[in-house]
Amino acid sequence: MKDSENIPAMMQELGQRAKAAAAELGFAPAAQRQQALEAAADAVWANRAEIIAANAKDLEFGRGKGLSDAMMDRLMLDEARIQGIVDGLRNVAGQDDPVGEVLAEWDRPSGLNIRRVRTPLGVIGVIYESRPNVTADAGALCLKSGNAVILRGGSESFHSSGMIHSCLVEGLKAAGLPEAAIQLVPTRDRAAVQELLTMTDYVDVIVPRGGKGLVGLVQREARVPVFAHLEGIVHIYVDKAADPQKALYVVLNAKTRRTGICGAAECLLIHREIAEGLGADLIRALVEAGVEVHAGAGLQLDGTLAATDADWGKEFLDSIIAAKVVEDVDGAIAHIRAYSSSHTDCVLTEDDAVADRFFERLDSAILMRNASTQFADGGEFGMGAEIGIATGKMHARGPVGAAQLTSFKYLVVGDGTTRP
Amino acid sequence: MKDSENIPAMMQELGQRAKAAAAELGFAPAAQRQQALEAAADAVWANRAEIIAANAKDLEFGRGKGLSDAMMDRLMLDEARIQGIVDGLRNVAGQDDPVGEVLAEWDRPSGLNIRRVRTPLGVIGVIYESRPNVTADAGALCLKSGNAVILRGGSESFHSSGMIHSCLVEGLKAAGLPEAAIQLVPTRDRAAVQELLTMTDYVDVIVPRGGKGLVGLVQREARVPVFAHLEGIVHIYVDKAADPQKALYVVLNAKTRRTGICGAAECLLIHREIAEGLGADLIRALVEAGVEVHAGAGLQLDGTLAATDADWGKEFLDSIIAAKVVEDVDGAIAHIRAYSSSHTDCVLTEDDAVADRFFERLDSAILMRNASTQFADGGEFGMGAEIGIATGKMHARGPVGAAQLTSFKYLVVGDGTTRP
């Protein structure tokens, strides 16, 4: 552990080391990075007892702090969860290597051959909250994409993250890569976050992964570019041309499969003409499934609560859904434009014109038709692991996997070619 | 002209109008945007006398301000240059439309079909200096890519830019597009720039196009993301395995074809073993061509000046070049890492291993082999018009054409598909 009295100096040193490591990683062979991740997976499994012991300290700290059961559950590691971390590391290790991929190649009349080739971004700062497995996930994705990373975990997972990080460093050493390729901020002091957000000389991009409070702080304070990860205020519009059976399956799955993930549905918009028919059926099915429905006018059936203005644009992350009648697809679009977080929004309809309009006139990172919004996930998109779902429009958008953590450069080859 | 007493309020209004226009542009058909650009080209040509008259006022203002001859030349518009603006507008109008392009499409085992589709970014702020033609170029590229734009021209070109902007608005009106799709800040007051840089609610990205002072100001002050356009501190490394004839052609072209563009060579790095041979020949050829050579040790031939430390990493933008002996390709790489602006750097060699090392270990936006650095240009890359060469790694990099001014969204189609 470093001297945490002088946070800015400590963070500058982390930054310098990260930048130097990034320069080496920029041309480290794919096989070497893969080897490091596999060795890290081995180390995590070999050290599972130590990780669980470190986690016990974190759980004790959490209990002392009075964390909620949900928070305590996120924090907890057991052998099964450690197996999950190991699998995650091996999964990322086995993915196609993005660095050096030729994204495009063309010849010019001038005689030049031009290639656009994928390169790492440089140094990535990842700031996250309680779940200690993010240490492994984020570290692995950054290394896979040839980036150096500075990880800043939640204070609750301090010891667990520290042990997992040690295992990642073991992997780096085993593969002969610089240890500073994956660094963990060695203090709980919040001043370190402030510093990380403004180290424009050393950090190329910040990825915040956590709740609204964290993301808001990062967006307000950062001088380094941020891959915005807003909350998932996910809407489903049930059109009058929706297939009732599909609608029932999709709505229930989108809300109830897992309520705590960012792709969970939070608001149901129902076409006026079907409010009393399919709309009522959906509300009843949700109530039966134990969901608390905050229903607007025309949908207030038995077992529902009356919706208030505070329900629109709210991410419940719980077994709660808001429901509202809208005039038609344009009414749904207007509501979504006003309240969506540009994460994922969905239309249920058999009418192609309605779906086209929904797809054209909305600009969420992910737009869906007749599919559960719980599919909003890098793994389900086929990208392998993800570091989160970006809701901004700069650089990365939607699920952020290894490829989205890269940039590119142009390689231009002539033969003594001059410009007239 | 608006009331410029209250700049923040005026800029907020511009921002609101731009955002509303962007929402419409997001789904305006390609043909409509193309029609607007063609009508704008017609309007510029029809109003050439008025543009030249407005330009005369700017030239008078410039003379009063004591602008240099080079600056006055950049400012000046005549019929030939207006023809150039018209051609530029028609050229952009005729390019393939980037919006809606399917960048990738795949099916998932879950039954989902996923498309990644190009979308506009939203609202772009372009801040530029004296050349009034940028008003048309930047306005056209932003419209082509479906974005609304707020243009802020140099105070010197105030009247010329205003007239050109009126013609763009004529084009928008003719095509039935919102006039606020292309707005020009209607005041010379510098407070407007400050405001534009911090309007995160309305502006999605800032593109600074100009000298070091402007770009530095933008990077320091902006709260909105910036497509960094640093100066072009362009290096050419002449390897011991360089072909002498190719080297001569390329070096002379890279330095002398046009000295005022960002792709012009500014520093020659010469392998130690050929300093006295090919190196001396190159220096002599440059001196003969009228170039002022600031030569380091071992290259100080007749007609050269001795280089000082201030010459490394300097963008001369003039008939001046720095020259230095380096140990080998690694010496060149080290020098370039220390002094390059990550714009364009070039290696002259017949040795593939040397070229590979140069391409692998450097990370400029454009790396070249045996080609003149004056090719660092969107047109020469086949991208049509460009708004500049981005030297950052976020989002856009290298020549920024219409396609680089876009983002994307995912369109996901199922058939009542739920996640297990």
Side-chain angles (χ1 to χ4, degrees):
Chain A
M1 196 122 337
K2 304 271 174 62
D3 170 22
S4 56
E5 300 291 298
N6 189 345
I7 303 285
M10 183 197 76
M11 292 302 294
Q12 295 289 317
E13 197 196 316
L14 251 62
Q16 283 162 15
R17 296 184 67 214
K19 196 162 179 173
E24 263 190 74
L25 284 176
F27 53 86
Q32 204 178 358
R33 284 179 281 116
Q34 181 170 354
Q35 189 198 335
L37 291 174
E38 280 162 2
D42 292 343
V44 169
W45 190 243
N47 290 288
R48 59 194 181 281
E50 288 80 354
I51 295 171
I52 289 171
N55 188 245
K57 284 198 236 175
D58 287 334
L59 291 170
E60 199 187 314
F61 175 84
R63 258 187 302 272
K65 226 178 142 183
L67 291 189
S68 69
D69 287 353
M71 291 278 276
M72 287 295 281
D73 181 63
R74 284 193 199 186
L75 187 51
M76 189 273 291
L77 291 177
D78 55 18
E79 212 168 276
R81 288 191 179 179
I82 290 174
Q83 183 66 59
I85 291 174
V86 170
D87 293 346
L89 286 168
R90 289 199 203 287
N91 173 18
V92 174
Q95 280 176 38
D96 289 343
D97 195 86
V99 182
E101 186 191 344
V102 178
L103 298 169
E105 176 167 9
W106 65 100
D107 294 310
R108 292 292 302 155
S110 58
L112 296 182
N113 170 270
I114 304 183
R115 279 172 294 160
R116 190 165 69 227
V117 173
R118 218 188 263 286
T119 59
L121 277 173
V123 177
I124 299 177
V126 183
I127 304 176
Y128 51 102
E129 295 184 324
S130 53
R131 290 193 299 146
N133 64 303
V134 178
T135 308
D137 293 356
L141 276 173
C142 291
L143 183 65
K144 185 73 186 182
S145 46
N147 296 290
V149 61
I150 300 176
L151 300 164
R152 158 67 195 208
S155 60
E156 298 83 4
S157 61
F158 187 73
H159 296 102
S160 325
S161 291
M163 269 308 299
I164 294 169
H165 173 250
S166 304
C167 299
L168 299 177
V169 171
E170 257 187 64
L172 291 167
K173 284 199 270 191
L177 287 172
E179 290 179 39
I182 305 176
Q183 295 181 95
L184 180 70
V185 175
T187 170
R188 279 171 165 146
D189 197 318
R190 284 204 153 236
V193 173
Q194 211 66 29
E195 200 60 31
L196 190 56
L197 294 177
T198 52
M199 292 185 359
T200 48
D201 284 349
Y202 302 119
V203 182
D204 293 287
V205 65
I206 294 283
V207 182
R209 186 165 158 170
K212 202 172 176 172
L214 170 67
V215 175
L217 169 82
V218 167
Q219 290 192 309
R220 261 190 330 274
E221 304 289 333
R223 301 297 294 147
V224 175
V226 174
F227 287 170
H229 287 63
L230 284 181
E231 50 193 343
I233 304 172
V234 173
H235 297 79
I236 298 182
Y237 165 59
V238 188
D239 187 51
K240 69 173 174 182
D243 177 284
Q245 193 60 62
K246 293 180 196 170
L248 199 66
Y249 286 149
V250 168
V251 168
L252 281 175
N253 185 265
K255 179 69 254 182
T256 65
R257 178 184 160 273
R258 281 182 67 189
T259 58
I261 65 173
C262 59
E266 306 291 12
C267 181
L268 205 56
L269 301 169
I270 296 174
H271 192 289
R272 192 177 47 79
E273 291 178 28
I274 55 154
E276 290 179 12
L278 176 57
D281 292 343
L282 291 171
I283 303 288
R284 274 189 291 265
L286 285 162
V287 171
E288 262 169 51
V291 177
E292 185 177 302
V293 181
H294 296 193
L299 296 170
Q300 293 168 349
L301 310 180
D302 279 356
T304 64
L305 300 175
T308 67
D309 281 351
D311 286 312
W312 317 126
K314 183 154 178 188
E315 188 184 35
F316 298 105
L317 286 180
D318 203 344
S319 192
I320 306 173
I321 197 166
K324 185 186 184 182
V325 172
V326 292
E327 198 53 33
D328 55 13
V329 65
D330 285 338
I333 289 169
H335 182 96
I336 292 170
R337 282 199 181 164
Y339 294 106
S340 158
S341 58
S342 297
H343 185 295
T344 300
D345 296 291
C346 175
V347 59
L348 303 182
T349 189
E350 299 302 304
D351 182 337
D352 290 344
V354 166
D356 287 351
R357 198 169 177 89
F358 192 88
F359 277 8
E360 241 178 53
R361 301 203 165 211
L362 286 173
D363 188 31
S364 308
I366 303 172
L367 292 169
M368 293 188 169
R369 177 184 182 183
N370 294 343
S372 168
T373 56
Q374 301 246 348
F375 282 112
D377 171 274
E380 292 298 328
F381 272 53
M383 295 175 181
E386 63 161 46
I387 205 167
I389 307 268
T391 55
K393 301 193 74 173
M394 284 297 142
H395 199 93
R397 198 171 200 219
V400 178
Q404 281 71 40
L405 297 174
T406 62
S407 181
F408 57 83
K409 62 185 173 188
Y410 292 97
L411 303 180
V412 179
V413 177
D415 187 31
T417 317
T418 56
R419 184 169 172 192
Chain B
M1 197 124 333
K2 304 270 173 65
D3 172 23
S4 54
E5 300 293 298
N6 188 346
I7 303 285
M10 183 196 75
M11 292 301 295
Q12 294 289 318
E13 196 197 316
L14 250 63
Q16 283 163 14
R17 295 184 67 212
K19 195 161 180 174
E24 261 190 76
L25 284 176
F27 53 84
Q32 204 178 358
R33 284 178 281 115
Q34 181 170 354
Q35 188 198 336
L37 291 173
E38 279 162 2
D42 292 343
V44 168
W45 189 244
N47 290 288
R48 60 194 181 282
E50 288 80 354
I51 295 171
I52 289 171
N55 188 246
K57 284 198 235 174
D58 287 334
L59 291 170
E60 199 186 315
F61 175 83
R63 258 188 302 273
K65 225 177 143 185
L67 291 189
S68 70
D69 287 354
M71 291 278 276
M72 288 294 282
D73 180 63
R74 285 194 197 183
L75 188 51
M76 190 274 289
L77 290 178
D78 55 19
E79 212 167 276
R81 288 191 178 179
I82 291 175
Q83 182 66 59
I85 291 174
V86 170
D87 292 347
L89 286 168
R90 289 198 202 287
N91 173 17
V92 174
Q95 280 176 40
D96 289 343
D97 195 87
V99 182
E101 188 191 343
V102 178
L103 298 167
E105 177 166 8
W106 66 98
D107 294 311
R108 294 291 303 154
S110 58
L112 296 182
N113 169 271
I114 304 183
R115 281 172 292 161
R116 189 165 70 228
V117 172
R118 218 188 262 287
T119 59
L121 278 172
V123 177
I124 299 177
V126 183
I127 304 176
Y128 50 103
E129 294 185 325
S130 54
R131 290 193 300 146
N133 64 303
V134 178
T135 308
D137 292 356
L141 276 174
C142 291
L143 183 65
K144 185 74 187 182
S145 46
N147 296 290
V149 61
I150 300 176
L151 301 164
R152 159 66 192 207
S155 61
E156 299 82 4
S157 62
F158 187 72
H159 296 101
S160 324
S161 291
M163 268 308 300
I164 294 169
H165 174 250
S166 304
C167 298
L168 298 177
V169 171
E170 258 187 62
L172 291 167
K173 285 200 271 188
L177 287 172
E179 290 180 39
I182 306 176
Q183 295 181 94
L184 180 69
V185 175
T187 169
R188 279 170 164 147
D189 197 318
R190 284 203 151 236
V193 173
Q194 211 66 30
E195 200 61 33
L196 189 57
L197 293 177
T198 53
M199 293 184 1
T200 47
D201 284 348
Y202 302 119
V203 181
D204 293 287
V205 65
I206 293 283
V207 181
R209 185 164 159 171
K212 202 172 175 172
L214 170 67
V215 175
L217 168 82
V218 168
Q219 289 193 308
R220 261 191 329 276
E221 304 288 333
R223 300 299 293 147
V224 175
V226 174
F227 287 172
H229 286 63
L230 283 181
E231 49 193 343
I233 304 172
V234 173
H235 295 80
I236 299 181
Y237 165 58
V238 188
D239 186 51
K240 68 173 175 182
D243 176 283
Q245 193 60 63
K246 292 179 195 170
L248 200 66
Y249 286 150
V250 168
V251 168
L252 282 175
N253 185 265
K255 180 67 253 182
T256 67
R257 177 183 161 275
R258 282 182 67 188
T259 58
I261 65 172
C262 58
E266 305 291 12
C267 181
L268 207 55
L269 301 169
I270 296 174
H271 191 290
R272 191 179 47 79
E273 290 179 30
I274 55 153
E276 289 179 14
L278 176 57
D281 292 343
L282 290 171
I283 303 288
R284 274 190 291 267
L286 284 163
V287 171
E288 261 170 50
V291 176
E292 185 177 303
V293 180
H294 296 193
L299 296 169
Q300 293 169 350
L301 310 181
D302 278 356
T304 66
L305 301 174
T308 68
D309 281 353
D311 286 312
W312 317 127
K314 183 154 179 188
E315 187 184 37
F316 298 105
L317 285 181
D318 201 345
S319 192
I320 305 174
I321 197 165
K324 186 186 184 181
V325 171
V326 292
E327 200 53 32
D328 55 12
V329 65
D330 285 339
I333 288 169
H335 181 95
I336 292 170
R337 280 197 182 164
Y339 294 106
S340 157
S341 57
S342 297
H343 186 293
T344 300
D345 296 290
C346 176
V347 59
L348 304 181
T349 189
E350 300 301 305
D351 183 335
D352 289 345
V354 167
D356 287 351
R357 198 168 176 89
F358 193 89
F359 277 8
E360 241 177 54
R361 300 202 166 213
L362 285 173
D363 187 32
S364 308
I366 303 172
L367 292 169
M368 291 187 170
R369 177 184 182 184
N370 296 343
S372 169
T373 55
Q374 300 247 348
F375 282 112
D377 171 272
E380 292 298 326
F381 272 53
M383 295 175 181
E386 62 162 47
I387 207 166
I389 307 270
T391 55
K393 301 193 75 173
M394 284 298 142
H395 199 95
R397 199 172 199 218
V400 178
Q404 281 72 39
L405 296 174
T406 61
S407 181
F408 57 83
K409 61 185 173 188
Y410 292 98
L411 303 181
V412 179
V413 177
D415 187 32
T417 318
T418 56
R419 186 171 171 189

